[in-house]
Structures are given as C-alpha cells and as structure tokens.
Amino acid sequence: MCSIRNYAMSCWRGTAFLKRVTDEHGWPGHDLVGDNAAQAAWLLAQHADHDRDFQRRCLPLLRDAVARGQAAPRHLAYLVDRVRVGEGRPQVYGTQYRQTAEGGFGPHPVEDPGHPDERRAEVGIEPHAEYDRHMRRYEQG
C-alpha cells in the first residue's frame, strides 16, 4: 500500500543516496550511470523539496553536466524553475504548476511571461501552450 509516509521516506532515502553520489562523483551523467539512472538522479533532485539547499547545490553540478553533454538541458530547466519557485521567485521556463488560491490550476508566475517559448525551445521543451494542455489534462486525472 502506498502512503504519504512511505513516499516521504523514499524521497528522503533517495535524496541521501544522491547526496553521496554527487559528493563522490559530481553529477551522475550519462557516461557514469547510463541514461535511465541519469534521469532518475534528476527526478530525485527535482522532487527533493524537503531539502532546498540540496536542490540549489545540484544546480551548478547539473549545469556543468549539461555543458559536457552528460545531462539533458531540459532537466536543468525544470530544476531551475523548481528552485526558483521554492525560493518564491518567478520561474524561467514555466514548468512548475500549482493549485491557485481561487481553486484553479496553472503555472507559478513566470519571469518575462511573453517569451517563455524561446527559452523553452533552447532547452528542448515543447511550447508552453502544448505543455499547459498536457498539465491540465494530467491535473484532471
């Protein structure tokens, strides 16, 4: 049975494991761990909202891995947005959504909201309108 407690414990354990890996090897890129594990590492960092300092610490590691072709640019974009939203700042790429105070659903505020598609294209993320449709379908279940 899946519970919030089990989910939280898995997140904490996964974050602790990724901390050890990044301390020893830097960002676990494609050559070091393979494509699936590199994506799993990003997901652990992305969802480590219980440890914002670690998420911030991952940014330069992931940025370096992207520059070396060892991580997907879109993963960096998602983590940049996640960290900025966690700090109460506008996101850059428009990847992070929320339930609004009015009971709606939509993206957290975006910096320079008139031009997210140019930034999204640079990192290989679909146009915001397409992503928005996907997110709203997902939210509706």
Coordinates of all heavy atoms in Angstrom, one line a residue, residues 63-114:
R63 N 24.3 21.9 -14.2 CA 24.7 22.9 -15.3 C 26.0 22.4 -16.0 O 26.1 22.5 -17.2 CB 24.8 24.3 -14.7 CG 25.0 25.4 -15.7 CD 24.9 26.8 -15.1 NE 23.5 27.1 -14.7 CZ 23.1 27.3 -13.5 NH1 23.9 27.2 -12.5 NH2 21.8 27.5 -13.3
D64 N 27.0 22.0 -15.2 CA 28.2 21.5 -15.7 C 28.0 20.3 -16.5 O 28.6 20.1 -17.6 CB 29.2 21.3 -14.6 CG 30.5 20.8 -15.1 OD1 31.2 21.5 -15.8 OD2 30.9 19.6 -14.7
A65 N 27.2 19.4 -16.0 CA 26.9 18.1 -16.8 C 26.3 18.4 -18.1 O 26.6 17.8 -19.1 CB 26.1 17.2 -15.9
V66 N 25.4 19.4 -18.1 CA 24.7 19.7 -19.4 C 25.8 20.3 -20.4 O 25.8 19.9 -21.5 CB 23.6 20.8 -19.2 CG1 23.1 21.4 -20.5 CG2 22.4 20.1 -18.5
A67 N 26.6 21.1 -19.9 CA 27.7 21.7 -20.7 C 28.6 20.7 -21.3 O 29.1 20.8 -22.4 CB 28.5 22.8 -19.9
R68 N 28.8 19.6 -20.6 CA 29.7 18.5 -21.1 C 28.9 17.4 -21.8 O 29.5 16.4 -22.2 CB 30.4 17.8 -19.9 CG 31.4 18.7 -19.2 CD 32.1 18.0 -18.0 NE 31.2 17.7 -16.9 CZ 30.8 16.5 -16.6 NH1 31.1 15.5 -17.2 NH2 30.0 16.4 -15.5
G69 N 27.6 17.7 -22.1 CA 26.8 16.7 -22.8 C 26.4 15.5 -22.0 O 26.1 14.4 -22.5
Q70 N 26.5 15.6 -20.7 CA 26.2 14.4 -19.8 C 24.9 14.5 -19.1 O 24.5 13.6 -18.3 CB 27.3 14.4 -18.7 CG 28.7 14.0 -19.2 CD 28.6 12.6 -19.9 OE1 28.2 11.6 -19.3 NE2 29.0 12.6 -21.2
A71 N 24.1 15.5 -19.4 CA 22.7 15.6 -18.9 C 21.9 16.4 -19.8 O 22.4 17.1 -20.7 CB 22.7 16.3 -17.5
A72 N 20.6 16.2 -19.8 CA 19.6 16.8 -20.7 C 19.4 18.3 -20.3 O 19.1 18.5 -19.1 CB 18.3 16.1 -20.7
P73 N 19.5 19.2 -21.2 CA 19.2 20.6 -20.9 C 17.9 20.8 -20.3 O 17.7 21.7 -19.4 CB 19.4 21.3 -22.2 CG 20.3 20.4 -23.0 CD 20.0 19.0 -22.6
R74 N 16.9 20.1 -20.7 CA 15.5 20.2 -20.1 C 15.5 19.9 -18.7 O 14.7 20.5 -17.9 CB 14.5 19.4 -20.9 CG 14.5 18.0 -20.7 CD 13.5 17.2 -21.6 NE 13.4 15.9 -21.4 CZ 14.3 14.9 -21.6 NH1 15.5 15.2 -22.0 NH2 14.1 13.7 -21.3
H75 N 16.3 19.0 -18.2 CA 16.4 18.6 -16.8 C 16.9 19.8 -16.0 O 16.3 20.1 -14.9 CB 17.3 17.4 -16.5 CG 16.7 16.1 -17.0 ND1 17.5 15.0 -17.1 CD2 15.5 15.8 -17.6 CE1 16.7 14.0 -17.6 NE2 15.5 14.5 -17.9
L76 N 17.9 20.5 -16.5 CA 18.4 21.7 -15.8 C 17.3 22.8 -15.8 O 17.1 23.4 -14.7 CB 19.6 22.3 -16.5 CG 20.2 23.6 -16.0 CD1 20.6 23.4 -14.5 CD2 21.3 24.0 -16.8
A77 N 16.5 22.9 -16.9 CA 15.4 23.9 -16.9 C 14.4 23.6 -15.8 O 14.0 24.6 -15.1 CB 14.8 24.0 -18.3
Y78 N 14.0 22.4 -15.7 CA 13.0 22.0 -14.7 C 13.5 22.3 -13.3 O 12.8 22.8 -12.5 CB 12.6 20.6 -14.9 CG 11.5 20.3 -15.8 CD1 11.8 20.2 -17.2 CD2 10.2 20.1 -15.4 CE1 10.8 19.9 -18.1 CE2 9.2 19.8 -16.4 CZ 9.5 19.7 -17.7 OH 8.5 19.5 -18.6
L79 N 14.8 22.0 -13.1 CA 15.3 22.2 -11.7 C 15.5 23.7 -11.4 O 15.2 24.1 -10.3 CB 16.6 21.4 -11.5 CG 17.2 21.4 -10.1 CD1 16.2 20.8 -9.1 CD2 18.5 20.7 -10.1
V80 N 15.9 24.4 -12.4 CA 16.0 25.9 -12.2 C 14.6 26.4 -11.8 O 14.5 27.2 -10.8 CB 16.5 26.6 -13.5 CG1 16.2 28.1 -13.5 CG2 18.0 26.3 -13.7
D81 N 13.6 26.0 -12.5 CA 12.2 26.5 -12.2 C 11.8 26.0 -10.8 O 11.3 26.8 -10.0 CB 11.2 26.0 -13.2 CG 11.2 26.9 -14.4 OD1 11.9 27.9 -14.5 OD2 10.4 26.6 -15.3
R82 N 12.1 24.8 -10.4 CA 11.7 24.3 -9.1 C 12.4 25.0 -8.0 O 11.7 25.4 -7.0 CB 12.1 22.8 -9.1 CG 11.5 22.0 -7.9 CD 10.0 21.8 -8.1 NE 9.6 20.7 -7.2 CZ 8.8 19.7 -7.7 NH1 8.5 19.6 -8.9 NH2 8.4 18.8 -6.8
V83 N 13.7 25.3 -8.2 CA 14.4 26.0 -7.1 C 13.9 27.4 -7.0 O 13.6 27.9 -5.9 CB 15.9 26.0 -7.4 CG1 16.7 27.0 -6.6 CG2 16.5 24.6 -7.2
R84 N 13.7 28.1 -8.1 CA 13.2 29.5 -8.1 C 11.8 29.5 -7.4 O 11.5 30.4 -6.6 CB 13.2 30.1 -9.5 CG 14.6 30.4 -10.0 CD 14.5 30.9 -11.4 NE 13.9 32.2 -11.4 CZ 14.6 33.3 -11.7 NH1 15.9 33.3 -12.0 NH2 14.0 34.5 -11.7
V85 N 10.9 28.6 -7.8 CA 9.6 28.6 -7.2 C 9.7 28.4 -5.7 O 9.0 29.0 -4.9 CB 8.7 27.6 -7.9 CG1 7.4 27.3 -7.0 CG2 8.3 28.0 -9.3
G86 N 10.6 27.4 -5.3 CA 10.8 27.2 -3.9 C 11.3 28.4 -3.1 O 11.1 28.5 -1.9
E87 N 12.0 29.3 -3.8 CA 12.5 30.5 -3.2 C 11.5 31.7 -3.3 O 11.8 32.8 -2.9 CB 13.8 30.9 -3.9 CG 14.9 29.9 -3.6 CD 16.2 30.2 -4.5 OE1 16.1 31.0 -5.5 OE2 17.2 29.6 -4.1
G88 N 10.4 31.4 -3.9 CA 9.4 32.5 -4.0 C 9.7 33.4 -5.2 O 9.1 34.5 -5.2
R89 N 10.5 33.0 -6.1 CA 10.8 33.8 -7.3 C 10.1 33.3 -8.5 O 9.8 32.1 -8.6 CB 12.3 33.8 -7.5 CG 13.1 34.3 -6.3 CD 14.6 34.1 -6.4 NE 15.2 34.1 -7.7 CZ 16.3 33.5 -8.0 NH1 17.0 32.8 -7.1 NH2 16.8 33.5 -9.2
P90 N 9.9 34.2 -9.5 CA 9.3 33.7 -10.8 C 10.2 32.7 -11.4 O 11.4 32.8 -11.4 CB 9.2 35.0 -11.6 CG 9.3 36.1 -10.7 CD 10.2 35.6 -9.5
Q91 N 9.5 31.7 -12.1 CA 10.3 30.7 -12.8 C 10.7 31.2 -14.2 O 10.2 32.2 -14.6 CB 9.5 29.4 -12.9 CG 8.1 29.6 -13.5 CD 7.3 28.3 -13.5 OE1 7.9 27.2 -13.7 NE2 6.0 28.4 -13.3
V92 N 11.6 30.6 -14.8 CA 12.1 31.0 -16.1 C 11.4 30.3 -17.3 O 11.1 30.9 -18.3 CB 13.6 30.7 -16.2 CG1 14.2 31.1 -17.6 CG2 14.4 31.4 -15.1
Y93 N 11.1 29.0 -17.2 CA 10.7 28.2 -18.3 C 9.2 27.9 -18.2 O 8.6 27.3 -19.1 CB 11.5 26.9 -18.4 CG 12.9 27.2 -18.6 CD1 13.8 27.2 -17.5 CD2 13.5 27.4 -19.8 CE1 15.2 27.5 -17.7 CE2 14.8 27.7 -20.0 CZ 15.7 27.7 -18.9 OH 17.0 27.9 -19.1
G94 N 8.5 28.1 -17.1 CA 7.1 27.8 -16.9 C 6.8 26.3 -16.8 O 5.7 25.9 -17.2
T95 N 7.7 25.6 -16.1 CA 7.4 24.2 -15.9 C 6.7 23.8 -14.7 O 6.2 22.6 -14.6 CB 8.8 23.4 -15.9 OG1 9.6 23.8 -14.8 CG2 9.6 23.7 -17.2
Q96 N 6.6 24.7 -13.7 CA 6.0 24.3 -12.4 C 4.6 24.9 -12.3 O 4.4 26.1 -12.5 CB 6.9 24.9 -11.3 CG 8.3 24.4 -11.4 CD 8.4 22.9 -11.3 OE1 8.1 22.3 -10.3 NE2 8.9 22.2 -12.4
Y97 N 3.7 24.0 -11.9 CA 2.3 24.3 -11.8 C 1.8 24.2 -10.3 O 2.5 23.6 -9.5 CB 1.4 23.4 -12.7 CG 1.3 23.9 -14.1 CD1 2.5 24.1 -14.9 CD2 0.1 24.2 -14.7 CE1 2.4 24.6 -16.2 CE2 0.0 24.6 -16.0 CZ 1.2 24.8 -16.7 OH 1.1 25.3 -18.0
R98 N 0.6 24.7 -10.1 CA 0.1 24.8 -8.7 C -1.4 24.9 -8.7 O -2.0 25.3 -9.7 CB 0.7 26.0 -8.0 CG 0.2 27.3 -8.6 CD 0.7 28.5 -8.0 NE 0.3 29.6 -8.8 CZ 0.3 30.8 -8.4 NH1 0.7 31.1 -7.2 NH2 0.0 31.8 -9.2
Q99 N -2.0 24.6 -7.6 CA -3.4 24.9 -7.4 C -3.4 26.4 -6.9 O -2.6 26.8 -6.1 CB -4.0 24.1 -6.3 CG -4.1 22.6 -6.6 CD -5.1 22.3 -7.7 OE1 -6.1 23.0 -7.8 NE2 -4.8 21.3 -8.4
T100 N -4.3 27.2 -7.5 CA -4.3 28.6 -7.2 C -5.3 28.8 -6.0 O -6.1 28.0 -5.7 CB -4.8 29.4 -8.4 OG1 -6.2 29.1 -8.7 CG2 -3.9 29.2 -9.6
A101 N -5.2 30.0 -5.4 CA -6.0 30.3 -4.2 C -7.5 30.4 -4.6 O -8.3 30.1 -3.8 CB -5.6 31.7 -3.7
E102 N -7.7 30.6 -5.9 CA -9.1 30.7 -6.4 C -9.7 29.3 -6.7 O -10.8 29.2 -7.2 CB -9.2 31.6 -7.6 CG -8.8 33.0 -7.4 CD -7.2 33.2 -7.4 OE1 -6.6 32.5 -8.2 OE2 -6.8 34.0 -6.7
G103 N -8.9 28.3 -6.5 CA -9.4 26.9 -6.8 C -9.0 26.5 -8.2 O -9.4 25.4 -8.6
G104 N -8.3 27.3 -9.0 CA -7.9 26.9 -10.3 C -6.6 26.2 -10.3 O -6.1 25.8 -9.3
F105 N -6.0 26.0 -11.5 CA -4.8 25.3 -11.7 C -4.0 26.0 -12.8 O -4.6 26.3 -13.8 CB -5.1 23.9 -12.1 CG -3.9 23.0 -12.3 CD1 -3.1 22.6 -11.2 CD2 -3.4 22.7 -13.6 CE1 -2.0 21.8 -11.4 CE2 -2.3 21.9 -13.8 CZ -1.6 21.4 -12.7
G106 N -2.8 26.3 -12.6 CA -2.0 27.0 -13.6 C -0.5 27.1 -13.2 O -0.1 26.7 -12.1
P107 N 0.3 27.7 -14.0 CA 1.7 27.8 -13.7 C 2.0 28.8 -12.6 O 1.2 29.8 -12.5 CB 2.3 28.3 -15.0 CG 1.2 28.9 -15.8 CD 0.0 28.2 -15.3
H108 N 3.0 28.6 -11.9 CA 3.6 29.6 -11.0 C 4.0 30.8 -11.8 O 4.2 30.6 -13.0 CB 4.8 29.1 -10.2 CG 4.4 28.1 -9.1 ND1 4.2 28.6 -7.8 CD2 4.4 26.8 -9.1 CE1 3.9 27.5 -7.1 NE2 4.0 26.4 -7.8
P109 N 4.1 32.0 -11.3 CA 4.5 33.1 -12.1 C 5.8 32.9 -12.9 O 6.7 32.2 -12.4 CB 4.7 34.2 -11.1 CG 3.8 33.8 -9.9 CD 3.8 32.3 -9.9
V110 N 5.8 33.4 -14.1 CA 6.9 33.3 -15.0 C 7.6 34.6 -15.2 O 6.9 35.6 -15.5 CB 6.5 32.7 -16.3 CG1 7.7 32.5 -17.3 CG2 5.8 31.3 -16.1
E111 N 8.9 34.6 -15.1 CA 9.7 35.8 -15.5 C 9.6 36.1 -17.0 O 9.7 35.1 -17.8 CB 11.2 35.5 -15.1 CG 12.1 36.7 -15.3 CD 13.5 36.3 -14.7 OE1 13.7 36.5 -13.5 OE2 14.3 35.8 -15.5
D112 N 9.4 37.3 -17.3 CA 9.2 37.7 -18.8 C 8.2 36.7 -19.4 O 8.5 36.0 -20.3 CB 10.6 37.6 -19.5 CG 10.5 38.2 -20.9 OD1 9.5 39.0 -21.2 OD2 11.4 37.9 -21.7
P113 N 6.9 36.8 -19.0 CA 5.9 35.8 -19.4 C 5.6 35.8 -20.9 O 5.0 34.9 -21.4 CB 4.7 36.1 -18.5 CG 4.9 37.5 -18.1 CD 6.4 37.7 -18.0
G114 N 5.9 36.9 -21.6 CA 5.6 37.0 -23.0 C 6.5 36.1 -23.9 O 6.3 36.0 -25.1

